[in-house]
Amino acid sequence: MARVSSPASFDELKQLISSRYGELSSRLRQIAEFALEHPNDMALGTVAAVAARAGVQPSAIIRFANSLGYDGFSDLQRVFRSRLVAGSPSYRERIDTMRHKAEADRKTNGTDSVLAQFTGDGIAALQHLRETTRPADMTRAVSILARASEVYLLGQGRAFPVAYYLYYAIARLDLRAHLLDGIGGLLHEEARAAAHDDVLIAVSFKEYSRDVAAIVERAAARGVKVIALTDSPLSPIARQASVSFEVDQSPALPFRSLVAPMCLAQSLVVALGHQLASRGGSS
Amino acid sequence: MARVSSPASFDELKQLISSRYGELSSRLRQIAEFALEHPNDMALGTVAAVAARAGVQPSAIIRFANSLGYDGFSDLQRVFRSRLVAGSPSYRERIDTMRHKAEADRKTNGTDSVLAQFTGDGIAALQHLRETTRPADMTRAVSILARASEVYLLGQGRAFPVAYYLYYAIARLDLRAHLLDGIGGLLHEEARAAAHDDVLIAVSFKEYSRDVAAIVERAAARGVKVIALTDSPLSPIARQASVSFEVDQSPALPFRSLVAPMCLAQSLVVALGHQLASRGGSS
DNA sequence: TATATGATAGAATATTCATTCCAAACTATC
DNA sequence: GATAGTTTGGAATGAATATTCTATCATATA
């Protein structure tokens, strides 16, 4: 087994290259320097392209990879690619810490690791929410709500808790709030009450409810302002909306969580409360 | 020259995909969704790999690229790669967000800082939840639920979204779930259906609903197993419960959040799902 | 100076990959 | 219910790519 080492993380690779640097031939040193200085080229380029940029022969690149214990350039390149998708260091470190904690728990107890998993995912989702939400959208949504005559809340299935929470919280601000809950099968009829100086807050996640999409479309066509709370810019309600929040469920989690949407909903309502308090405290 | 458009930046591409989404065929829509949800896969994968992950044929990927005005997949992939090398995505987004925040804060009374506040609070709440929840309680709650004949869900006001979520999620596990929603004012009557081999999951926060407390008391007296989701061991429902989770809203926050209870609820349901799958996969 | 050892360049090769093409399936229209 | 027009799946193709191999070159040692 020629390969005693061959790190899978970029940080380890960096250390390995540094420690082996002394033993390398001059051409291989040249490549080592290039690799550490241009990790992006290493990650995305072909052997020919990297060789050209580094001023060496393609075969030298392969020898470099082999000398570090990798099967070939492609094998080495994986490490450089992992660096690109890992995200910013601090973010990744936090996730890693959580994951390690989760693994430690798995040894002790199975059910508890589920909680560790979801709190970890939840924290990641909240960080992602904060990083990707555009402040301008928040501001616009709040000012639309502050001017609204009536606020209608719509959400079905998994999205319903979010809609209900918004209804509950907005009603407590003494705004006129109406929850479209579809009791008795009159969802579409309830929605017809919304007029052009009203606002409809629609919440919908995959797989998007047909009813919600249809109601949003008709409301938008009538001139009702729509604020969408969804999970993708391709969502059927995002395209119709005046303001659309895409709470991206951070990359491919097996279970969808309501943590981020709930947090966004609360932030919206509290920001709205501040706005109302600071401007006209009247009526 | 067929190509009138074909953005070179990822943000423009996102917009282009969103706007063209409606005109695309179903298979192409499928790819569009995948592309926006898994930009890293698009950036680093081969056509075959991307096609496999998206569940389509390689040729469909090429067609997708062509329909957006690109020469082929490689041409399209450049855009996704540019996103990766423009600095790690979340880092760049964070910088942008920060810059925008500074401007937005100046115009408004810090609408955006509200979001920063609540994501921060949410993270703290989740960490607190993780640290204070006793694994033994999770295990007991799951095993009680796994043996239940029927599961009743109860929560009013601010707690209702949590109860509804539990109802929704448990029903999807093919368990017999019943939401006590009090429509038509028959809350107490609905609750009388719970028998001694049933479980009642009650959710209640300060100020505790009188109805919920009363229902829990009567149910517990009849021998119904009660799982409480509340915010203090002194809560009127905690004392009656077989298992009680106290999701303490970490030290004196001005606004109560549902982030932690929601996360706990999801963890419970998923742990229950695992339990059911591992034990009797029958029914 | 002669020889042995290791490194290098560049051509040759085998593999992987993007792309194209065509038949089959599907839709909408008359 | 038949037909024209799209859309789709999957094999075929040709280009691009990583890797291997060998002759040459440099270097150190006797």
Side-chain angles (χ1 to χ4, degrees):
Chain A
M1 187 185 312
R3 191 197 312 180
V4 284
S5 61
S6 53
S9 86
F10 183 70
D11 287 334
E12 291 171 296
L13 175 61
K14 230 158 73 180
Q15 286 188 319
L16 176 65
I17 292 179
S18 302
S19 66
R20 288 276 183 84
Y21 185 73
E23 317 159 15
L24 295 177
S25 72
S26 71
R27 188 51 45 94
L28 260 41
R29 286 187 189 185
Q30 185 183 345
I31 297 171
E33 286 165 24
F34 179 86
L36 293 186
E37 281 169 25
H38 306 279
N40 288 341
D41 290 312
M42 292 292 289
L44 297 178
T46 67
V47 170
V50 170
R53 289 223 51 191
V56 300
Q57 287 294 320
S59 51
I61 305 285
I62 312 289
R63 274 186 286 118
F64 174 69
N66 288 332
S67 76
L68 293 174
Y70 293 93
D71 283 344
F73 176 68
S74 307
D75 201 20
L76 172 64
Q77 192 175 47
R78 261 199 290 280
V79 181
F80 284 90
R81 292 190 164 187
S82 75
R83 189 190 70 103
L84 284 181
V85 299
S88 75
S90 69
Y91 179 76
R92 192 193 48 187
E93 277 166 23
R94 241 176 276 193
I95 304 271
D96 277 358
T97 318
M98 272 297 170
R99 194 170 14 233
H100 288 139
K101 215 183 282 185
E103 279 172 25
D105 285 339
R106 205 162 298 145
K107 294 173 199 157
T108 63
N109 190 315
T111 33
D112 186 46
S113 75
V114 174
L115 182 63
Q117 179 73 49
F118 282 116
T119 51
D121 289 352
I123 288 171
L126 289 178
Q127 284 173 337
H128 191 74
L129 171 70
R130 194 174 98 155
E131 285 162 13
T132 58
T133 303
R134 294 171 294 272
D137 284 346
M138 284 284 286
T139 313
R140 281 184 55 211
V142 167
S143 76
I144 287 175
L145 284 169
R147 283 197 304 267
S149 164
E150 316 265 331
V151 181
Y152 291 83
L153 287 309
L154 174 61
Q156 298 276 289
R158 214 163 55 81
F160 180 72
V162 181
Y164 181 91
Y165 173 77
L166 283 165
Y167 165 67
Y168 169 87
I170 290 176
R172 296 197 58 161
L173 289 177
D174 285 335
L175 293 185
R176 300 175 163 278
H178 307 277
L179 180 65
L180 310 180
D181 52 19
I183 289 180
L186 292 182
L187 193 61
H188 292 268
E189 288 74 7
E190 295 178 67
R192 277 214 286 268
H196 72 281
D197 54 349
D198 295 338
V199 176
L200 170 65
I201 306 184
V203 190
S204 184
F205 307 114
K206 292 195 201 51
E207 286 71 26
Y208 312 104
S209 152
R210 290 196 166 281
D211 289 328
V212 170
I215 287 171
V216 165
E217 184 161 12
R218 253 173 283 158
R222 283 208 311 283
V224 178
K225 291 262 189 303
V226 174
I227 296 173
L229 232 148
T230 184
D231 55 6
S232 158
L234 300 184
S235 150
I237 69 172
R239 284 167 290 160
Q240 321 275 351
S242 308
V243 184
S244 166
F245 296 94
E246 290 103 31
V247 184
D248 186 18
Q249 314 287 6
S250 69
L253 291 176
F255 292 93
R256 305 278 165 66
S257 157
L258 288 179
V259 162
M262 273 294 183
C263 185
L264 177 59
Q266 183 174 28
S267 303
L268 263 178
V269 172
V270 172
L272 173 60
H274 286 166
Q275 176 91 327
L276 292 175
S278 71
R279 295 213 172 163
S282 64
S283 95
Chain B
M1 192 181 312
R3 191 198 310 179
V4 285
S5 60
S6 53
S9 87
F10 182 71
D11 285 333
E12 290 172 295
L13 175 61
K14 222 157 84 177
Q15 286 189 319
L16 176 65
I17 292 179
S18 302
S19 66
R20 288 278 182 83
Y21 185 72
E23 317 158 14
L24 296 178
S25 72
S26 73
R27 189 49 42 95
L28 262 37
R29 286 187 188 187
Q30 184 183 345
I31 297 171
E33 288 165 25
F34 179 87
L36 293 188
E37 281 168 27
H38 306 278
N40 289 341
D41 289 313
M42 292 293 290
L44 296 178
T46 66
V47 170
V50 170
R53 290 223 51 194
V56 302
Q57 288 294 320
S59 49
I61 305 282
I62 312 285
R63 272 197 294 270
F64 174 68
N66 288 332
S67 77
L68 293 174
Y70 293 93
D71 283 343
F73 174 69
S74 307
D75 201 20
L76 172 66
Q77 194 177 45
R78 260 199 289 283
V79 181
F80 284 90
R81 292 191 165 186
S82 76
R83 188 189 72 106
L84 284 180
V85 298
S88 69
S90 61
Y91 181 73
R92 190 196 50 184
E93 281 161 14
R94 202 181 299 188
I95 303 276
D96 280 357
T97 308
M98 285 295 176
R99 185 165 42 223
H100 291 140
K101 192 202 320 197
E103 291 169 19
D105 274 352
R106 221 165 294 141
K107 297 176 202 158
T108 73
N109 339 324
T111 327
D112 181 54
S113 68
V114 173
L115 180 63
Q117 178 73 47
F118 281 116
T119 52
D121 290 351
I123 288 171
L126 289 178
Q127 281 170 340
H128 190 74
L129 170 70
R130 155 102 191 72
E131 285 159 15
T132 58
T133 303
R134 293 172 296 272
D137 284 347
M138 284 284 286
T139 312
R140 282 183 55 214
V142 167
S143 78
I144 287 175
L145 284 170
R147 283 196 304 269
S149 164
E150 315 266 330
V151 181
Y152 291 83
L153 289 307
L154 174 60
Q156 296 279 288
R158 215 163 55 83
F160 180 71
V162 181
Y164 180 91
Y165 173 77
L166 283 165
Y167 164 68
Y168 169 87
I170 290 176
R172 296 197 58 161
L173 290 176
D174 286 333
L175 294 186
R176 301 176 161 278
H178 307 277
L179 179 66
L180 310 180
D181 53 17
I183 288 181
L186 293 181
L187 194 61
H188 293 270
E189 287 75 6
E190 294 177 69
R192 276 213 287 269
H196 72 283
D197 55 349
D198 295 338
V199 176
L200 170 65
I201 306 184
V203 190
S204 185
F205 307 115
K206 294 191 199 56
E207 288 74 25
Y208 311 104
S209 151
R210 290 195 166 282
D211 289 327
V212 170
I215 288 171
V216 165
E217 185 160 12
R218 251 173 286 158
R222 282 208 312 284
V224 177
K225 292 263 189 301
V226 174
I227 295 173
L229 234 147
T230 184
D231 54 5
S232 157
L234 302 182
S235 147
I237 69 171
R239 281 168 294 163
Q240 320 275 350
S242 307
V243 184
S244 167
F245 295 94
E246 292 99 29
V247 184
D248 187 18
Q249 313 289 2
S250 67
L253 292 176
F255 292 92
R256 305 279 168 64
S257 156
L258 288 179
V259 162
M262 273 294 181
C263 185
L264 177 59
Q266 183 175 27
S267 303
L268 263 178
V269 172
V270 172
L272 173 60
H274 285 167
Q275 176 91 328
L276 293 175
S278 70
R279 296 213 169 162
S282 63
S283 99

